[in-house]
């Protein structure tokens, strides 16, 4: 193989369009935009300086930024630069009498861009502008800009507006004003539309006045209270329901329908919380709209017929003609006065805007909402899951087939709002009733240690959770119309969330202790219960689940790591244990933790400052020099006392934790290169069989280490650091295997190719570990795809690989546009500098020189499982394994010629199969519904049964199951798979097999 045969010929950059004349036109258009926004001279100078500095970059990198036209990308870039300058620059913006501060909303209107499209381009714009903006405004410019929080706020408001729109249409007759022909119809349609806008404006006023902390659950409670007000006050003839017969109002008594209890049942809200929200809403109506409240029980109106009016308030003319118009004007004025251009977006656009500014695309939010499209993938893709056969009975709590807490019998469509409300209901019903202290059984374990650690456990929990749910953590924010001040943070809300996290922590800690005690045949768990890092990880997981459930804007992951003093590597070691020991954990929260674990493994654990490197320099001394040269070691974990002082948390009379001394212990070997930070290495006690772990380790603990250099409890002569790294590597390889298989199927590559890919990634991880430092695992996978394709002499281009990777659920443009390198720079007299380059440059300059010897050994004449590939080169077992048997994606296509799909039967659907009337309609492959002899007989019998069922009806239909009428994309889309893609056991073995291709992303 020739010396350069595996290199990529980087395409020449496009010719610059920034000629003197063209560049002058671009600057002129930017200057016109500044004048239209009425920037002051200082801001205009700063904006023009930033724009000029980036102009060359803009013209040469325009095609790499996005898929839009150069004219569009110029407008996106101009808007982005102006937003950065107005938020980060120094000087005053010229304010007109009515113009106010220059907000993002005004910038986007002037640039003729919509909000959703802008936020979709922001990650790439930020990536490309990072070096310029860091030079102008400092390295923390992105954190100060708060664009991620703003994007999450917009995503949540879109979710809330959709929820409100759907609920309003369900309750009331919503007519289109533009289609109303007759005068009366037009007036009615306008009235219903005005009431719809009234409800949203009243909600915004409620959020500004009473909801001091923006989170999805609290805001949903607020919207449900608005719906209650509308049900009580909108004229009866505009209702879509009859209250005494409606299935929407199931809570009733002799006094009539209990309106609030029925709404709570329908939307999974807390009745106490909803009543508080209704009271606050009534106060707003009184204070802002100057309406006189009246006990509903004293009012005689047909609107209240068949409603139990006890405890309800009624306003006589709230939604009557002139009064409604006056109320709308007052609410608009209240919003203007309260926000006063302090925030970036006008939240009224979510019901007023006709698509021009808001846009019609979807915007993914954070927390659980950000992974909603990936959940079906994550359920199988989590590296924490063991590689058991699909025939394994689904008894594990982490199994995607296990029973979840919320029953699926209602078959309600899953939305971000419904997910948040059902998981909040689990916290309310299962966790909240628990005592806010260790149970008697947990206290027995705590007191059975070498010394009683009860006080240490309770004090640590109080300090950490107080820090997470304190005002300092949430800070003073102003996002999208909601001013969240330290002085007005809802103390009651924070206290309730802290109690939920505390009770969840104690519950799972007790379950872990119980399991450990049974395995070790003792109640003395001193090593485990004295491990500071273990407890902080458990508290971080508990806090993250509570925060993710409520989808708080200002404490999105990884904020909880920063507050608790942990790193991504720390948390990755406890997530599986946490999930396994809470059987009632809702599936949505399991998926959230799985998606977090994926993020931790793919890149966050490899970032600078990760405690992974502190373990690596002990497990792999040969890597110590490179780790120290790059400055990757983690700083010491802050003591509990330091966290308490930083957040002004009282000590409560408890002594300082003696276990804090463990963080200051030197390495037992006295090595000068020992890590600054001591991390206790531990793994789950319940490790099932997998291709990465030997059966002898299933029942062993490594929670018990006080130092990475301490001998591991596995008893195999390795240190705790080596055991911890081995477990971490196994998860990395599991994740790599899943992504290799997924991308190989997209590219229609053979199993042999996947075997070579997996072998190469293993060897890179064990023998060229430094390639992972400060990088994303997908960057190495993409480069390996091209390298292996060259070795196997396949006609696969890098462009084709990247284009197909764009369709992967985990794809982010920065993965192939910005890769960390540390190399000598001509601009710095040959000194080593840290930069970010594109994937082609990284492949040619870094990847190939490092990996070429490994690639050469994968030539077709060689066997990828040769003994030479199993040379010792890393911690733990160096023997390379073949491509693992991964669980099939669901649904799985089982025919190359017909659209036939098979999915494992979920445990939650078993109840529906138990009744004789319904059981016979299901085809359970491998188990007959009756005394049938084969699955084909089952399907034939189902056809016959359906035919006989419809034979007596007035309309005869062709009920034979025609699978060809259903497309792959339809099945995939209906089941939530990204881009409508499905796994296929009938995937072609050669690239020439004809298959249906997906349309490229726009």
């Amino acid at each position: 193989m020739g010396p350069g045969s595996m290199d990529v010929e980087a395409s020449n950059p496009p010719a610059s369009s920034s000629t003197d004349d063209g560049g002058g036109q671009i600057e002129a258009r930017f200057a016109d935009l500044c004048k239209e926004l009425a920037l002051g001279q200082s801001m205009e100078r700063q904006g023009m300086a930033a724009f000029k500095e980036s102009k060359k970059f803009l013209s040469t990198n325009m095609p790499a930024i996005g898929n839009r036209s150069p004219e569009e990308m110029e407008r996106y870039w101009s808007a982005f630069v102006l937003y950065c300058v107005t938020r980060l620059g120094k000087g005053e913006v010229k304010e007109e009498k009515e113009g106010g501060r220059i907000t993002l909303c005004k910038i986007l209107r002037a640039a003729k861009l919509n909000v959703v499209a802008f936020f979709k381009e922001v990650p790439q714009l930020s990536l490309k502008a990072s070096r310029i903006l860091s030079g102008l405004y400092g390295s923390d410019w992105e954190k100060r800009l708060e664009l991620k929080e703003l994007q999450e706020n917009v995503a949540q408001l879109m979710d809330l507006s959709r929820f409100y729109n759907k609920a309003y249409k369900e309750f009331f007759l919503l007519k289109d004003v533009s289609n109303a022909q007759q005068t009366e119809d037009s007036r009615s349609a306008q009235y219903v539309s005005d009431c719809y806008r009234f409800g949203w404006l009243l909600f915004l006023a409620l959020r500004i006045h009473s909801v001091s902390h923006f989170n999805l659950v609290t805001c949903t409670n607020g919207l449900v209270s608005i719906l209650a007000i509308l049900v009580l006050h909108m004229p009866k003839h505009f209702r879509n329901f009859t209250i005494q017969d409606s299935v929407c109002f199931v809570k009733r008594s002799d006094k009539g329908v209990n309106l609030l209890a029925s709404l709570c049942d329908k939307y999974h809200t807390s009745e106490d919380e909803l009543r508080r929200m209704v009271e606050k809403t009534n106060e707003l109506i009184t204070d802002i709209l100057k309406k006189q409240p009246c006990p509903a029980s004293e009012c005689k109106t047909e609107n209240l017929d068949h409603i139990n009016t006890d405890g309800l308030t009624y306003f006589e003319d709230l939604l009557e003609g002139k009064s409604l118009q006056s109320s709308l004007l007052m609410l608009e004025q209240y919003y203007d006065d309260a926000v006063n251009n302090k925030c970036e977006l006008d939240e009224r656009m979510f019901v007023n805007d006709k698509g021009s500014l808001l846009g019609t695309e979807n915007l993914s939010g954070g927390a659980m909402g950000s992974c909603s499209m990936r959940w079906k993938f994550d359920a199988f893709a989590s590296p924490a899951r063991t590689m058991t056969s699909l025939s394994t009975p689904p008894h594990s709590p982490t199994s995607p087939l296990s029973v979840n807490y919320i029953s699926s019998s209602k078959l309600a469509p899953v939305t971000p709002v419904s997910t948040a409300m059902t998981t909040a209901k689990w916290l309310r019903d299962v966790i909240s009733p628990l005592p806010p202290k260790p149970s008697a059984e947990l206290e027995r374990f705590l007191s059975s240690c070498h010394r009683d650690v009860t006080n240490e456990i309770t004090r640590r929990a109080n300090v950490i959770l107080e820090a997470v749910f304190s005002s300092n953590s949430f800070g003073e924010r102003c996002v999208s119309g909601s001013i969240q001040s330290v002085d007005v943070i809802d103390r009651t809300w924070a206290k309730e969330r802290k109690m939920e996290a505390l009770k969840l922590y104690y519950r799972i800690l007790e379950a872990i202790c119980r399991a450990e005690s049974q395995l070790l045949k003792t109640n003395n768990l001193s090593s485990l219960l004295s491990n500071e890092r273990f407890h902080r990880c458990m508290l971080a997981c508990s806090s993250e689940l509570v925060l993710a459930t409520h989808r708080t804007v200002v404490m999105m992951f990884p904020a909880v790591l920063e507050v608790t003093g942990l790193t991504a590597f720390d948390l990755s070691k406890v997530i599986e244990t946490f999930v396994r020991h809470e059987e009632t954990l809702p599936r949505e929260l399991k998926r959230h933790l799985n998606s977090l674990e994926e993020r931790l493994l793919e890149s966050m654990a490899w970032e600078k400052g990760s405690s992974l490197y502190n373990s690596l320099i002990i497990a792999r001394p040969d890597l110590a020099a490179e780790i120290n040269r790059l400055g990757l070691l983690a700083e010491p974990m802050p003591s509990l006392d330091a966290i308490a002082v930083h957040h002004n948390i009282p000590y409560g009379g408890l002594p300082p934790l003696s276990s804090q001394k463990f963080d200051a212990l030197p390495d037992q070997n006295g090595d000068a290169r020992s890590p600054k930070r001591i991390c206790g290495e531990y793994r789950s006690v319940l490790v099932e069989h997998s291709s990465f772990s030997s059966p002898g380790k299933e029942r062993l603990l490594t929670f018990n280490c006080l130092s990475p250099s301490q001998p591991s409890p596995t008893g195999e002569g390795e240190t705790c650091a080596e055991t911890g790294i081995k477990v971490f590597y196994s998860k990395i390889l599991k994740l790599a295997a899943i992504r290799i298989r997924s991308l190989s199927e997209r590219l229609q590559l053979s199993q042999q190719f996947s075997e070579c890919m997996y072998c190469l990634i293993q060897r890179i991880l064990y023998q060229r570990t430094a390639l992972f430092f400060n990088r994303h695992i997908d960057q190495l996978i993409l480069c390996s795809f091209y390298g292996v394709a060259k070795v196997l002499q396949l006609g696969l281009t890098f462009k084709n690989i990247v284009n197909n990777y764009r369709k992967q659920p985990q794809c982010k443009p920065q993965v192939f546009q910005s890769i960390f390198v540390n190399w000598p720079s001509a601009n710095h007299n040959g000194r080593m500098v840290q930069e970010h380059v594109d994937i082609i440059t990284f492949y040619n300059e870094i990847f190939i020189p490092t990996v070429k010897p490994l690639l050469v050994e994968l030539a077709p004449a060689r066997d990828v499982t040769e003994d030479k590939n199993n040379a010792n080169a890393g911690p733990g077992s160096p023997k390379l394994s073949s491509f693992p048997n991964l669980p099939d994606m669901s649904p799985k296509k089982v025919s190359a010629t017909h659209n036939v799909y098979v999915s494992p039967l979920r445990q939650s659907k078993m109840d529906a199969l138990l009744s004789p009337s319904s059981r016979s309609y299901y085809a359970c492959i491998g188990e007959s519904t009756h005394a049938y002899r084969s699955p084909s007989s089952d399907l034939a019998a189902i056809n016959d049964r359906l035919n006989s069922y419809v034979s007596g009806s007035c309309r005869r239909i062709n009920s034979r199951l025609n699978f060809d009428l259903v497309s792959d994309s339809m099945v995939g889309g209906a089941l939530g798979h990204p881009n409508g893609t499905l796994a296929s056991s009938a995937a072609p073995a050669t690239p020439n097999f004809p298959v249906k291709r997906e349309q490229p992303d726009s």
Side-chain angles (χ1 to χ4, degrees), residues 684-699:
S684 171
V685 60
L686 297 176
V687 180
E688 297 179 315
H689 289 279
S690 78
S691 60
F692 302 120
S693 61
S694 59
K697 293 185 179 180
E698 291 177 13
R699 300 174 62 84

PDB file of all heavy atoms in Angstrom, residues 684-699:
ATOM      1  N   SER A 684     -21.133  -1.134  39.302  1.00  0.00           N
ATOM      2  CA  SER A 684     -22.377  -1.724  39.772  1.00  0.00           C
ATOM      3  C   SER A 684     -22.146  -3.110  40.328  1.00  0.00           C
ATOM      4  O   SER A 684     -21.346  -3.878  39.826  1.00  0.00           O
ATOM      5  CB  SER A 684     -23.395  -1.814  38.625  1.00  0.00           C
ATOM      6  OG  SER A 684     -24.498  -2.567  39.022  1.00  0.00           O
ATOM      7  N   VAL A 685     -22.858  -3.430  41.405  1.00  0.00           N
ATOM      8  CA  VAL A 685     -22.775  -4.766  41.978  1.00  0.00           C
ATOM      9  C   VAL A 685     -23.463  -5.783  41.076  1.00  0.00           C
ATOM     10  O   VAL A 685     -23.119  -6.948  41.051  1.00  0.00           O
ATOM     11  CB  VAL A 685     -23.416  -4.789  43.382  1.00  0.00           C
ATOM     12  CG1 VAL A 685     -24.866  -4.381  43.310  1.00  0.00           C
ATOM     13  CG2 VAL A 685     -23.292  -6.171  44.004  1.00  0.00           C
ATOM     14  N   LEU A 686     -24.423  -5.342  40.303  1.00  0.00           N
ATOM     15  CA  LEU A 686     -25.166  -6.251  39.432  1.00  0.00           C
ATOM     16  C   LEU A 686     -24.677  -6.093  38.002  1.00  0.00           C
ATOM     17  O   LEU A 686     -25.246  -5.360  37.224  1.00  0.00           O
ATOM     18  CB  LEU A 686     -26.670  -5.974  39.522  1.00  0.00           C
ATOM     19  CG  LEU A 686     -27.280  -6.196  40.890  1.00  0.00           C
ATOM     20  CD1 LEU A 686     -28.748  -5.801  40.868  1.00  0.00           C
ATOM     21  CD2 LEU A 686     -27.137  -7.637  41.313  1.00  0.00           C
ATOM     22  N   VAL A 687     -23.584  -6.734  37.673  1.00  0.00           N
ATOM     23  CA  VAL A 687     -23.058  -6.696  36.313  1.00  0.00           C
ATOM     24  C   VAL A 687     -23.399  -8.008  35.645  1.00  0.00           C
ATOM     25  O   VAL A 687     -22.919  -9.054  36.045  1.00  0.00           O
ATOM     26  CB  VAL A 687     -21.531  -6.475  36.300  1.00  0.00           C
ATOM     27  CG1 VAL A 687     -21.012  -6.446  34.882  1.00  0.00           C
ATOM     28  CG2 VAL A 687     -21.189  -5.193  37.027  1.00  0.00           C
ATOM     29  N   GLU A 688     -24.249  -7.959  34.640  1.00  0.00           N
ATOM     30  CA  GLU A 688     -24.661  -9.174  33.971  1.00  0.00           C
ATOM     31  C   GLU A 688     -23.617  -9.591  32.946  1.00  0.00           C
ATOM     32  O   GLU A 688     -22.662  -8.883  32.663  1.00  0.00           O
ATOM     33  CB  GLU A 688     -26.012  -8.944  33.279  1.00  0.00           C
ATOM     34  CG  GLU A 688     -27.112  -8.633  34.257  1.00  0.00           C
ATOM     35  CD  GLU A 688     -28.418  -8.389  33.534  1.00  0.00           C
ATOM     36  OE1 GLU A 688     -28.397  -7.664  32.531  1.00  0.00           O
ATOM     37  OE2 GLU A 688     -29.423  -8.919  33.970  1.00  0.00           O
ATOM     38  N   HIS A 689     -23.829 -10.782  32.361  1.00  0.00           N
ATOM     39  CA  HIS A 689     -22.908 -11.280  31.339  1.00  0.00           C
ATOM     40  C   HIS A 689     -22.858 -10.321  30.162  1.00  0.00           C
ATOM     41  O   HIS A 689     -23.878  -9.828  29.725  1.00  0.00           O
ATOM     42  CB  HIS A 689     -23.389 -12.640  30.822  1.00  0.00           C
ATOM     43  CG  HIS A 689     -23.220 -13.741  31.811  1.00  0.00           C
ATOM     44  ND1 HIS A 689     -22.026 -14.387  32.009  1.00  0.00           N
ATOM     45  CD2 HIS A 689     -24.110 -14.296  32.668  1.00  0.00           C
ATOM     46  CE1 HIS A 689     -22.189 -15.319  32.930  1.00  0.00           C
ATOM     47  NE2 HIS A 689     -23.439 -15.281  33.356  1.00  0.00           N
ATOM     48  N   SER A 690     -21.688 -10.044  29.684  1.00  0.00           N
ATOM     49  CA  SER A 690     -21.535  -9.303  28.442  1.00  0.00           C
ATOM     50  C   SER A 690     -20.241  -9.724  27.797  1.00  0.00           C
ATOM     51  O   SER A 690     -19.411 -10.391  28.403  1.00  0.00           O
ATOM     52  CB  SER A 690     -21.522  -7.788  28.687  1.00  0.00           C
ATOM     53  OG  SER A 690     -20.267  -7.379  29.163  1.00  0.00           O
ATOM     54  N   SER A 691     -20.055  -9.321  26.566  1.00  0.00           N
ATOM     55  CA  SER A 691     -18.834  -9.710  25.853  1.00  0.00           C
ATOM     56  C   SER A 691     -17.632  -8.940  26.360  1.00  0.00           C
ATOM     57  O   SER A 691     -16.519  -9.203  25.957  1.00  0.00           O
ATOM     58  CB  SER A 691     -19.008  -9.447  24.356  1.00  0.00           C
ATOM     59  OG  SER A 691     -19.249  -8.083  24.133  1.00  0.00           O
ATOM     60  N   PHE A 692     -17.848  -7.998  27.258  1.00  0.00           N
ATOM     61  CA  PHE A 692     -16.743  -7.177  27.749  1.00  0.00           C
ATOM     62  C   PHE A 692     -16.356  -7.515  29.184  1.00  0.00           C
ATOM     63  O   PHE A 692     -15.435  -6.938  29.718  1.00  0.00           O
ATOM     64  CB  PHE A 692     -17.113  -5.697  27.675  1.00  0.00           C
ATOM     65  CG  PHE A 692     -17.464  -5.242  26.307  1.00  0.00           C
ATOM     66  CD1 PHE A 692     -18.709  -4.712  26.029  1.00  0.00           C
ATOM     67  CD2 PHE A 692     -16.558  -5.358  25.275  1.00  0.00           C
ATOM     68  CE1 PHE A 692     -19.027  -4.295  24.762  1.00  0.00           C
ATOM     69  CE2 PHE A 692     -16.876  -4.940  24.001  1.00  0.00           C
ATOM     70  CZ  PHE A 692     -18.110  -4.409  23.744  1.00  0.00           C
ATOM     71  N   SER A 693     -17.085  -8.353  29.845  1.00  0.00           N
ATOM     72  CA  SER A 693     -16.764  -8.656  31.243  1.00  0.00           C
ATOM     73  C   SER A 693     -16.760 -10.160  31.437  1.00  0.00           C
ATOM     74  O   SER A 693     -17.551 -10.885  30.863  1.00  0.00           O
ATOM     75  CB  SER A 693     -17.784  -8.009  32.187  1.00  0.00           C
ATOM     76  OG  SER A 693     -19.069  -8.498  31.922  1.00  0.00           O
ATOM     77  N   SER A 694     -15.862 -10.613  32.267  1.00  0.00           N
ATOM     78  CA  SER A 694     -15.780 -12.035  32.541  1.00  0.00           C
ATOM     79  C   SER A 694     -16.785 -12.404  33.603  1.00  0.00           C
ATOM     80  O   SER A 694     -17.065 -11.632  34.522  1.00  0.00           O
ATOM     81  CB  SER A 694     -14.366 -12.392  33.005  1.00  0.00           C
ATOM     82  OG  SER A 694     -14.037 -11.662  34.168  1.00  0.00           O
ATOM     83  N   PRO A 695     -17.353 -13.616  33.536  1.00  0.00           N
ATOM     84  CA  PRO A 695     -18.390 -14.010  34.488  1.00  0.00           C
ATOM     85  C   PRO A 695     -17.930 -13.962  35.929  1.00  0.00           C
ATOM     86  O   PRO A 695     -18.729 -13.784  36.835  1.00  0.00           O
ATOM     87  CB  PRO A 695     -18.729 -15.440  34.055  1.00  0.00           C
ATOM     88  CG  PRO A 695     -18.308 -15.508  32.623  1.00  0.00           C
ATOM     89  CD  PRO A 695     -17.136 -14.620  32.511  1.00  0.00           C
ATOM     90  N   GLY A 696     -16.626 -14.085  36.165  1.00  0.00           N
ATOM     91  CA  GLY A 696     -16.143 -14.111  37.539  1.00  0.00           C
ATOM     92  C   GLY A 696     -16.282 -12.801  38.267  1.00  0.00           C
ATOM     93  O   GLY A 696     -16.104 -12.730  39.469  1.00  0.00           O
ATOM     94  N   LYS A 697     -16.593 -11.707  37.538  1.00  0.00           N
ATOM     95  CA  LYS A 697     -16.663 -10.401  38.176  1.00  0.00           C
ATOM     96  C   LYS A 697     -18.087  -9.949  38.432  1.00  0.00           C
ATOM     97  O   LYS A 697     -18.315  -8.833  38.845  1.00  0.00           O
ATOM     98  CB  LYS A 697     -15.961  -9.356  37.306  1.00  0.00           C
ATOM     99  CG  LYS A 697     -14.455  -9.571  37.211  1.00  0.00           C
ATOM    100  CD  LYS A 697     -13.815  -8.432  36.450  1.00  0.00           C
ATOM    101  CE  LYS A 697     -12.309  -8.630  36.379  1.00  0.00           C
ATOM    102  NZ  LYS A 697     -11.641  -7.546  35.651  1.00  0.00           N
ATOM    103  N   GLU A 698     -19.054 -10.826  38.168  1.00  0.00           N
ATOM    104  CA  GLU A 698     -20.438 -10.375  38.228  1.00  0.00           C
ATOM    105  C   GLU A 698     -20.845  -9.930  39.626  1.00  0.00           C
ATOM    106  O   GLU A 698     -21.651  -9.041  39.783  1.00  0.00           O
ATOM    107  CB  GLU A 698     -21.360 -11.504  37.765  1.00  0.00           C
ATOM    108  CG  GLU A 698     -21.217 -11.787  36.286  1.00  0.00           C
ATOM    109  CD  GLU A 698     -22.073 -12.950  35.869  1.00  0.00           C
ATOM    110  OE1 GLU A 698     -22.929 -13.349  36.674  1.00  0.00           O
ATOM    111  OE2 GLU A 698     -21.888 -13.469  34.768  1.00  0.00           O
ATOM    112  N   ARG A 699     -20.286 -10.578  40.658  1.00  0.00           N
ATOM    113  CA  ARG A 699     -20.759 -10.317  42.011  1.00  0.00           C
ATOM    114  C   ARG A 699     -19.725  -9.547  42.820  1.00  0.00           C
ATOM    115  O   ARG A 699     -19.767  -9.561  44.055  1.00  0.00           O
ATOM    116  CB  ARG A 699     -21.095 -11.642  42.693  1.00  0.00           C
ATOM    117  CG  ARG A 699     -22.182 -12.432  41.977  1.00  0.00           C
ATOM    118  CD  ARG A 699     -22.388 -13.785  42.601  1.00  0.00           C
ATOM    119  NE  ARG A 699     -22.828 -13.687  43.984  1.00  0.00           N
ATOM    120  CZ  ARG A 699     -24.087 -13.518  44.362  1.00  0.00           C
ATOM    121  NH1 ARG A 699     -25.036 -13.425  43.448  1.00  0.00           N
ATOM    122  NH2 ARG A 699     -24.417 -13.434  45.622  1.00  0.00           N
TER     123      ARG A 699
END
